[in-house]
Amino acid sequence: MAEFTLELNDDQKQVRDWLHGFAADVIRPAASEWDEREETPWPIIQEAAKVGIYSLDFYAQQFFDPTGLGIPMAMEELFWGDAGIALSIVGTGLAAVGVLANGTEEQIGTWIPQMYGDADDVKVAAFCSSEPDAGSDVASMRTRAVYDQVKDEWVLNGTKTWATNGGIANVHVVVAVVDPELGSKGHASFIVPPDTPGLSQGQKFKKHGIRASHTAEVVLEDVRVPGHCLLGGKEKLDQRLARARERAASGGERVKNAAMATFEASRPAVGAMAVGTARAAYEVALDYARTRTQFGRPIIDNQGVAFQLADMRTRIDAARLLVWRASWMATTGKPFESAEGSMSKLYASETAKKVTAQAIQILGGNGFTREYPVERMHRDAAIYTIFEGTSEIQRLVIARTLSGMPIR
């Protein structure tokens, strides 16, 4: 009988401790500064590249961890350091996942290295899906991609929003409509190479949290990309669209679109990010409760505080287990028959919001000031229930999966 264990192996522990050290020694000391500056922390990204954290090789090693725990373990430790800086370090990964999920081997080998650059000249990439009128409602996407058969080029027009690294990226991965009649099933993903004419940065957003991560609109005006920049290739796209038309005509099952394939693959990783932020806030609150005295004793002696900490730790551990389960399932090829990926993202993101709020409450007035990090952690935690599928969307996905009904 195979041995069952939830314990990390020696190699995983070594990587975890290495990442934790980088988060503690490099990310955390810089967190407050870059949050206030609201700028991409290029020196920290470069430092991550120098030690091998910001690199294709590192993420490939974690991605191919046979247990599936490499990526969530890395995300938790980096986001324990600081969510804004960590997202600047790992934000390129969403574009990379988009290529991995939809691209050919040649496209993967060509474009993913260009997303990272090297330690002397770091680059970033952007995944562009959301639009001003089409966030969760992907069927309302308006960005169009029209094929110019004579030149074997695709012409992209539209505006993307909420794009991490949008406009400053070396490589943009853009989801666009190729067949409007098919709704969300008529989408495809495209690589926009560096310095392609017609792509520009629109509004840069000033955000409530994760301020060190660059978020902006991406404007596409007659952007022409070569035919080989269609992820998966035109033959595969034509076949997929033909199947979608047949299913639409017969009322058959739905076909997943390019954006959803990317988000499904990344949801447990987002859950791990949320776990890291929640754990960081919990640890600050625990240390504070042990050292802060009121009425002659540490406040952790008070049942009201101790019970909050007990609930916080329980939720964090439960969230981590859901993330690990989904990550293991994805790696071992087990289908999310009960929407386990969405479950992990939903519970972990809600846990991060609740735990960081509880941390502020335990610190009292101090928690409400920028002298303590839980205020920033609480602002950062708000994004987890919004990006890559809101909590409401996750509940909808879970409910539809469990019921088999088109719940609206």
Side-chain angles (χ1 to χ4, degrees), residues 32-344:
S32 179
E33 175 189 351
W34 291 99
D35 177 72
E36 294 287 346
R37 291 175 63 168
E38 299 190 52
E39 297 175 359
T40 300
W42 291 108
I44 310 299
I45 299 174
Q46 186 170 34
E47 190 65 26
K50 286 180 180 178
V51 299
I53 293 174
Y54 187 77
S55 71
L56 173 60
D57 288 344
F58 172 73
Y59 287 107
Q61 290 173 11
Q62 303 316 308
F63 183 82
F64 290 112
D65 182 329
T67 69
L69 301 186
I71 291 294
M73 182 182 64
M75 295 301 105
E76 180 177 337
E77 293 305 327
L78 292 173
F79 280 73
W80 172 88
D82 176 68
I85 292 177
L87 190 56
S88 289
I89 293 173
V90 308
T92 292
L94 185 58
V97 168
V99 176
L100 285 168
N102 302 296
T104 64
E105 290 187 7
E106 182 179 357
Q107 289 170 331
I108 292 170
T110 298
W111 296 111
I112 292 184
Q114 295 187 47
M115 294 179 175
Y116 289 94
D118 56 47
D120 295 322
D121 185 21
V122 294
K123 305 292 185 182
V124 294
F127 183 75
C128 308
S129 177
S130 293
E131 298 184 2
D133 296 320
S136 299
D137 183 11
V138 294
S140 296
M141 190 177 292
R142 296 180 180 178
T143 297
R144 289 294 309 275
V146 178
Y147 184 56
D148 183 339
Q149 189 169 2
V150 174
K151 295 184 178 181
D152 185 28
E153 292 179 337
W154 289 88
V155 184
L156 280 61
N157 281 282
T159 299
K160 294 296 182 178
T161 192
W162 310 122
T164 299
N165 298 329
I168 66 171
N170 193 50
V171 176
H172 291 76
V173 178
V174 178
V175 182
V177 179
V178 294
D179 189 333
E181 295 182 359
L182 292 175
S184 62
K185 295 181 281 292
H187 296 174
S189 292
F190 299 85
I191 292 285
V192 180
D195 302 318
T196 299
L199 185 147
S200 63
Q201 179 184 309
Q203 175 187 5
K204 178 186 174 183
F205 296 104
K206 297 181 72 66
K207 305 186 299 294
H208 175 66
I210 55 166
R211 294 176 177 175
S213 174
H214 176 96
T215 310
E217 290 182 332
V218 174
V219 180
L220 304 139
E221 297 179 309
D222 291 329
V223 173
R224 286 183 168 268
V225 298
H228 62 76
C229 287
L230 165 64
L231 289 181
K234 193 167 187 307
E235 181 179 352
K236 183 178 178 181
L237 172 65
D238 290 340
Q239 292 173 353
R240 179 168 62 82
L241 294 178
R243 291 196 302 270
R245 294 186 190 103
E246 290 175 3
R247 289 189 174 98
S250 62
E253 63 183 18
R254 299 175 62 195
V255 178
K256 294 176 183 176
N257 65 66
M260 290 302 100
T262 300
F263 291 141
E264 283 188 10
S266 63
R267 277 172 180 158
V270 175
M273 298 173 188
V275 170
T277 298
R279 189 183 111 212
Y282 159 76
E283 290 176 1
V284 173
L286 177 63
D287 182 66
Y288 186 88
R290 284 171 169 167
T291 57
R292 171 71 167 172
T293 59
Q294 290 285 279
F295 305 105
R297 62 181 185 179
I299 63 172
I300 199 171
D301 284 357
N302 297 312
Q303 194 176 86
V305 173
F307 280 13
Q308 282 197 74
L309 289 164
D311 287 343
M312 292 159 74
R313 176 60 185 267
T314 300
R315 287 187 65 103
I316 291 167
D317 282 11
R320 182 184 297 110
L321 288 172
L322 284 170
V323 167
W324 281 17
R325 179 183 69 169
S327 301
W328 170 77
M329 290 177 69
T331 296
T332 55
K334 298 187 182 299
F336 290 160
E337 293 181 351
S338 299
E340 287 86 354
S342 288
M343 283 184 185
S344 69

